[in-house]
Amino acid sequence: MEEARIRTPLGTATLRGDESGVCSISVSDGHLEQEVVPEVLAQACIQLQEYFRGERQRFDFPIRPEGTPFQQRVWQELRKVPYGHTLSYLELTKKLGDVKAIRAVASANGRNPLWIVIPCHRIIGSDGSMTGYAGGIHRKKWLLNHESPTPQQSLFGSGTDQAVGKHTF
């Protein structure tokens, strides 16, 4: 299993995967980037940088998230939520065919191993609220604002408005 770390406006993204695909992408505070990225992760790193620069809305590098069959179904449905759009947990459960499974769907959403690529940040409360997000609500808000056709202006700096750096591969 190979690993790469790149800087993003929201912290350090850690990517893990091999020749069969990327199995996890997570984010944390700090700046522990690598100058040399393993070849099997290079395309994923490039596409994430393009996303943060506003040049990419879909990802097409190979992925292989590990999870139960139910989690896989939820993650497949999450990938259908278009860039710049949101869906409520209730709407998501309806698409999956079982509104009673809302807690299980929320749990699968929270176990998403591929930050941004499987866009769990696009799932919100039925009332439009920013419900739980493993990466932190501040990151969820930033991502939704980034994807919005008319981004909200902030009166106060969030500390996450910096430009994405360039990396040597």
Side-chain angles (χ1 to χ4, degrees):
M1 184 77 57
E2 300 283 346
E3 181 175 294
R5 291 181 307 278
I6 61 170
R7 188 172 60 112
T8 78
L10 296 173
T12 300
T14 302
L15 296 83
R16 291 185 181 89
D18 56 28
E19 60 282 338
S20 63
V22 177
C23 61
S24 73
I25 301 173
S26 60
V27 66
S28 62
D29 294 328
H31 299 287
L32 305 170
E33 66 186 306
Q34 291 173 225
E35 283 198 28
V36 178
V37 171
E39 185 62 34
V40 297
L41 298 173
Q43 196 54 235
C45 290
I46 289 167
Q47 288 187 25
L48 278 172
Q49 290 173 327
E50 291 170 346
Y51 169 86
F52 282 112
R53 288 192 305 260
E55 300 168 358
R56 175 173 291 277
Q57 296 182 359
R58 296 186 57 80
F59 300 95
D60 57 15
F61 56 85
I63 62 171
R64 60 173 192 87
E66 295 178 7
T68 67
F70 179 77
Q71 289 170 335
Q72 297 285 345
R73 275 188 51 225
V74 171
W75 299 336
Q76 278 297 86
E77 200 61 44
L78 286 172
R79 294 194 75 199
K80 295 176 186 176
V81 181
Y83 182 96
H85 293 82
T86 58
L87 199 67
S88 73
Y89 281 99
L90 183 58
E91 291 169 318
L92 180 59
T93 59
K94 287 178 182 177
K95 287 182 178 291
L96 289 163
D98 186 0
V99 294
K100 294 179 183 175
I102 197 162
R103 288 182 188 220
V105 168
S107 177
N109 195 44
R111 287 190 171 84
N112 169 18
L114 289 165
W115 179 61
I116 298 177
V117 176
I118 297 176
C120 59
H121 62 278
R122 296 179 189 153
I123 307 304
I124 59 174
S126 294
D127 61 358
S129 62
M130 296 293 129
T131 56
Y133 184 63
I137 295 295
H138 69 287
R139 288 186 176 107
K140 181 173 188 162
K141 287 179 182 178
W142 190 98
L143 291 166
L144 292 175
N145 189 52
H146 175 71
E147 293 182 2
S148 173
T150 55
Q152 299 291 314
Q153 297 297 318
S154 175
L155 296 175
F156 307 100
S158 65
T160 57
D161 296 327
Q162 63 199 14
V164 178
K166 302 219 186 256
H167 301 280
T168 305
F169 294 110

